[in-house]
DNA sequence: TAAATATAATTGATATATCAATTACATAGC
DNA sequence: GCTATGTAATTGATATATCAATTATATTTA
C-alpha cells in the first residue's frame, strides 16, 4: 500500500510552521535576553499572571508532561529565575515563585514576544485567524475524541 | 508591558493541534507495531521512496538537525531497521539502506498512517485544507523572511 | 480510623533537540 | 599539486520528551 509522503500532507505544513515560528521567536529573544528559552519565558509569563500555579498546571499550559516540568523548573531554579519552596497547605505541591532575576526577564520579554507575534502574523486578516482556529480545532477534536 | 498569555494565541492552537495529532498517531502505530516512533516511520517512508537520500536530506524532510539525525539513525541501525555503509562515490556520506526488518515495518505502516490522517481530518473540506495551507504558509514565510 | 485509592512530584532510562567544536573528505582556485 | 574553502557527519555538553516506577502526602471509603 502507498501513502502520500509526509512532506505532502497538511501535518507537514503545520509542523513546519510552528517550528519556524519557534526558531524565529527564539532568535529574537536570544538577541536581547541571555539564557532564556521560549518555553522558560512562557512559564514566567503564566506564573506572573497566575501566581500559585502548581507544576502540573504549568505543564499543561505549555504542553509538557510532569517529568519534563520538574526538570525544566530545576534548571530555572538553578539559573535563579524561580524559587521553589514547601507548600504547607498541601505538602505534595511546591510553591513556585519568580525571583528578582526572573522579574527582570519579565520586564524585557513582553515587547519582544509582542513583536514576534506581530511580525509573524503580518498580512493575515482577523477572519483568516478565525478560520485557522476553527479548522485546527476540528483536527484537534478529531484526534482527542477518537 | 502586558502581552496576551500564550494560551490565548494562535500559536498555542497550532502547537496543541500538532501535538495532539502526534499523540494520536503514535498511539495507533504502537497498537500494531512495536518499537517505532512516528519520526522513525517517516524516515522509513522517505527512504523507501527516495533511496540514496543522505542523512542531511532526510533530516530536512523530517525537520531535524544533522546531529539529531545521526543519533536517530544510530538507534534505527541498532534496532536493525536500517543499515549504514560506506559510500565510495563520496566518502563523507553514507549509504543508508532499509533492512528486511525495516521493510516489514513498511508493509504495516501505510494503512495505519492513512487511517490516522483520515480520521484526524474527518469533516474538513478540501477548501478548508487549502485555506489552512495558505494561511500557515503566510506565517511561515513571515518567520523565515524576517 | 485503618486501608484503599488518588494526586503531585521525582527519578531512572532512553531518545531526541540544540549548539558549538571537530573530523574526514571534496572541490575550487591559484 | 597545494591551499583555502566548503560539506557531511560525528561528538560532547546540556536540556527536554516520554514512559514506567516510586515517593510522599491527601482524600475517600469501608
Amino acid at each position: 500500500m502507498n501513502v502520500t509522503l509526509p512532506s505532502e500532507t497538511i501535518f507537514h505544513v503545520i509542523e513546519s510552521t510552528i517550528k519556524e515560528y519557534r526558531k524565529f521567536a527564539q532568535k529574537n529573544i536570544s538577541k536581547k535576553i541571555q539564557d532564556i528559552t521560549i518555553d522558560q519565558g512562557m512559564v514566567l509569563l503564566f506564573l506572573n499572571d497566575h501566581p500559585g500555579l502548581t507544576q502540573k498546571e504549568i505543564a499543561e499550559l505549555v504542553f509538557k508532561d510532569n517529568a519534563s516540568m520538574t526538570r525544566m523548573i530545576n534548571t530555572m531554579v538553578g539559573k535563579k529565575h524561580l524559587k521553589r519552596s514547601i507548600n504547607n497547605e498541601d505538602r505534595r505541591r511546591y510553591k513556585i515563585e519568580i525571583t528578582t532575576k526572573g522579574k527582570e526577564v519579565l520586564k524585557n520579554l513582553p515587547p519582544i514576544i509582542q513583536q514576534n507575534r506581530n511580525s509573524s502574523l503580518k498580512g493575515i486578516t482577523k477572519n483568516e485567524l478565525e478560520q485557522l482556529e476553527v479548522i485546527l480545532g476540528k483536527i484537534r477534536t478529531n484526534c482527542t475524541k477518537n
Side-chain angles (χ1 to χ4, degrees), chain A residues 11 137-146:
Chain A
F11 306 103
K138 285 187 192 176
I139 298 178
R140 191 177 34 180
T141 304
N142 283 337
C143 292
T144 51
K145 291 275 159 75
N146 292 312

Side-chain angles (χ1 to χ4, degrees), chain A residues 2-58:
Chain A
N2 280 327
V3 275
T4 310
L5 284 181
S7 48
E8 305 305 315
T9 68
I10 194 67
F11 306 103
H12 188 90
V13 176
I14 301 174
E15 184 109 26
S16 79
T17 303
I18 197 66
K19 288 217 171 178
E20 288 300 343
Y21 173 71
R22 280 182 158 270
K23 256 193 247 172
F24 170 70
Q26 182 66 63
K27 201 178 60 189
N28 291 331
I29 290 172
S30 299
K31 276 181 204 160
K32 304 265 181 89
I33 309 178
Q34 294 310 307
D35 218 25
I36 274 285
T37 67
I38 302 184
D39 289 319
Q40 290 167 1
M42 290 202 289
V43 169
L44 289 175
L45 288 176
F46 281 121
L47 270 172
N48 195 43
D49 242 68
H50 302 290
L53 283 176
T54 65
Q55 296 188 187
K56 189 177 155 63
E57 288 163 340
I58 302 169

Side-chain angles (χ1 to χ4, degrees), chain A residues 12-121:
Chain A
H12 188 90
V13 176
I14 301 174
E15 184 109 26
S16 79
T17 303
I18 197 66
K19 288 217 171 178
E20 288 300 343
Y21 173 71
R22 280 182 158 270
K23 256 193 247 172
F24 170 70
Q26 182 66 63
K27 201 178 60 189
N28 291 331
I29 290 172
S30 299
K31 276 181 204 160
K32 304 265 181 89
I33 309 178
Q34 294 310 307
D35 218 25
I36 274 285
T37 67
I38 302 184
D39 289 319
Q40 290 167 1
M42 290 202 289
V43 169
L44 289 175
L45 288 176
F46 281 121
L47 270 172
N48 195 43
D49 242 68
H50 302 290
L53 283 176
T54 65
Q55 296 188 187
K56 189 177 155 63
E57 288 163 340
I58 302 169
E60 271 161 31
L61 286 166
V62 295
F63 306 121
K64 319 257 172 225
D65 77 341
N66 291 356
S68 297
M69 192 44 63
T70 291
R71 284 152 180 150
M72 203 170 151
I73 289 181
N74 285 348
T75 76
M76 292 181 77
V77 168
K79 295 193 297 188
K80 313 273 191 214
H81 290 131
L82 294 181
K83 177 168 171 276
R84 182 157 36 189
S85 56
I86 299 291
N87 180 342
N88 276 314
E89 270 99 74
D90 184 341
R91 296 172 54 82
R92 288 170 305 184
R93 304 175 184 193
Y94 287 113
K95 274 192 286 194
I96 312 287
E97 289 162 293
I98 304 176
T99 63
T100 311
K101 191 177 168 197
K103 284 185 182 136
E104 201 57 40
V105 172
L106 276 173
K107 269 189 213 150
N108 302 317
L109 204 52
I112 306 174
I113 292 180
Q114 195 56 60
Q115 174 67 27
N116 283 340
R117 292 180 188 162
N118 292 345
S119 13
S120 64
L121 296 180

